[in-house]
């Protein structure tokens, strides 16, 4: 087995809660695994990678994305809207405009952006499905991820219900039949799913939202099938107060209570957002060890609010970070997302501060979340939610490692270089990015990736999409 020795890191962030920083600056990798971390001596046969001046992070684990939206950044019709109106104005208005070419370029743009931020694992909540659609989005997504050499988790979304009469809908907005959807999940599991903890490909059961996408009976049946197939479960939940109102009006429950009543909580389940929760819902989620994909930039952009990660984690909820779609997050990369998560947890806690004379116990939220917390949520936390043994720099773990160069003025003057990639925002250039021990980025270059050409393709696809929508130009 080939052995790679990464030498002279200025700092190593491990992703571990107990020991968030490694002693020493060296990492030895044999094959696809980390075998030693510390102050190491080169051995015969070692290939040396000099990381002088760099900081090492585990590869980021993005637990919630919508890659097709990579061609919908800053779409004017939805730029200043909240969630409900934005859904109609942007992703659903453009849904029928996507064909195989535009979908592939969208996936390529989004995955390339993520890789350049140091991300090595992507879970895409792919809900662009309708009956008799002319291309296989799942195959395209797996192909594009394989081109880049990253781990890819397909969260197979969709819906069997719509709030509009089906006969009045264009084909691309019509719901699927439940039996056809479940049969496709079984097909995808047989073709792609790897159950091992070092998997490069996974399939997840992922209706778009439990409250609207399936009937209660179908929701329970989807959970039953997922567990029979040995796959995990994922969906959107409680992004806005509208979820609370809808669950109360339709089912006389809170959203989390509804999910619990239909077998949709547990260690094999994680939800995106969870911004608006009642105390009893937090207790249910924590007791069941359900996970969250926290999407701070999208939640801020849509005006939805800030999920309370500190309280959720204290209750037992497993925390991870997701980018969400680029249609509601124009910086759809994990470094930007981690920076936002760090700042917004502090802002959220500061908003709850009250004066001492009124019984307040703290002045602000400056200690609500540390850089180490944020790195852990975005790496080991995501790996735990997905059931993978990446996300940590430690012996025995998968060798998914980002080496960031801090040679830009943005990082000059740092007293603690380890925090630079998160604290200073922006995109730190990569000395190297490894996934399963294989170098997929070297000296900030992705092999065989023509960024200028990709930009031109993306611009042409945006023009096509706009021409295909009603009133577009």
């Amino acid at each position: 087995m080939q052995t790679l020795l990464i030498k002279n890191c200025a700092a190593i962030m491990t992703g571990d809660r107990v020991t968030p920083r490694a002693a020493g600056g060296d990492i030895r990798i044999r094959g696809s695994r980390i075998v030693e971390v510390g102050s190491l001596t080169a051995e015969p046969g070692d290939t040396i990678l000099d990381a002088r001046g760099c900081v090492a992070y585990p590869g980021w684990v993005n637990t919630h994305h919508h890659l097709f939206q990579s061609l919908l950044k800053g779409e004017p019709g939805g730029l200043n809207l909240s969630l409900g109106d934005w859904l109609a104005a942007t992703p659903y208005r453009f849904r029928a405009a996507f064909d195989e070419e535009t979908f592939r370029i969208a996936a390529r743009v989004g995955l390339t952006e993520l890789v350049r931020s140091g991300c090595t694992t992507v879970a895409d909540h792919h809900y662009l499905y309708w009956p008799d659609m002319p291309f296989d989005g799942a195959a395209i997504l797996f192909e594009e991820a394989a081109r880049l050499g990253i781990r890819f988790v397909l969260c197979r979304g969709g819906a069997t219900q719509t709030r509009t009469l089906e006969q009045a809908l264009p084909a691309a907005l019509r719901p699927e039949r439940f039996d056809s959807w479940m049969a496709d999940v079984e097909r995808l599991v047989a073709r792609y799913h790897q159950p091992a903890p070092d998997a490069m490909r996974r399939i997840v059961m992922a209706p778009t939202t439990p409250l609207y996408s399936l009937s209660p009976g179908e929701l329970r049946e989807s959970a039953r099938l997922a567990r029979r197939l040995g796959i995990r479960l994922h969906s959107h939940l409680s992004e806005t107060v509208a979820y609370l109102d809808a669950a109360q009006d339709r089912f006389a429950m809170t959203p989390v209570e509804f999910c619990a009543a239909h077998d949709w909580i547990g260690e094999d389940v994680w939800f995106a957002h969870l911004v608006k929760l009642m105390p009893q819902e937090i207790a249910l989620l924590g007791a069941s060890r359900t996970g969250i994909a926290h999407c701070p930039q999208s939640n801020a952009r849509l005006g939805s609010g800030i999920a309370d990660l500190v309280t959720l984690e204290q209750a037992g909820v497993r925390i991870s970070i997701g980018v969400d779609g680029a249609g509601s997050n124009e910086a759809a990369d994990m470094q930007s997302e981690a920076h936002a998560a760090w700042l917004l947890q502090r802002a959220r806690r500061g908003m709850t501060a009250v004066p001492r004379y009124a019984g307040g116990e703290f002045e602000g939220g400056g200690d609500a979340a540390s850089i180490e917390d944020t790195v852990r949520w975005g790496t080991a936390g995501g790996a735990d939610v997905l059931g993978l043994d990446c996300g940590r720099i430690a012996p025995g773990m998968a060798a998914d490692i980002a080496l960031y160069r801090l040679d830009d003025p943005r990082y000059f003057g740092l007293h603690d270089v380890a925090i630079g990639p998160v604290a200073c925002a922006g995109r730190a250039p990569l000395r190297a990015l490894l996934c399963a021990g294989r170098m997929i980025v070297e000296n900030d270059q992705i092999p065989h990736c023509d960024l200028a050409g990709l930009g031109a393709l993306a611009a042409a696809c945006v023009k096509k999409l706009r021409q295909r929508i009603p009133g577009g130009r």
Side-chain angles (χ1 to χ4, degrees), residues 370-392:
S370 67
I371 297 288
E372 290 82 0
D373 289 330
T374 308
V375 172
R376 173 171 54 83
W377 293 335
T379 57
D384 290 346
V385 159
L386 298 177
L388 297 170
D389 61 2
C390 55
R392 293 176 176 83

Side-chain angles (χ1 to χ4, degrees), residues 284-304:
L284 262 176
L285 293 167
S288 61
R289 298 288 290 155
T290 302
I292 176 178
H294 175 48
C295 305
Q297 291 188 127
S298 176
N299 293 156
R301 152 83 147 76
L302 294 171
S304 300

Side-chain angles (χ1 to χ4, degrees), residues 159-163 209-215 242-243 246-247 250-251:
T160 66
Q161 298 186 346
T162 176
R163 283 171 280 179
T209 173
L211 295 180
Y212 301 110
S213 299
L214 299 169
S215 70
Y243 282 78
R250 298 179 65 197
F251 307 112

Side-chain angles (χ1 to χ4, degrees), residues 10 17 23 92 114 176 193 210 244 246 257 270 277 296 324 337 359 385 388 430 448 467 473:
R17 186 170 196 163
Y92 286 105
L114 287 164
E176 297 180 272
H193 185 72
L244 286 160
E257 288 168 344
W270 83 103
L277 295 172
D324 206 5
E337 210 65 42
V385 159
L388 297 170
L430 288 162
H448 314 299
Q467 289 171 341
R473 64 186 193 282

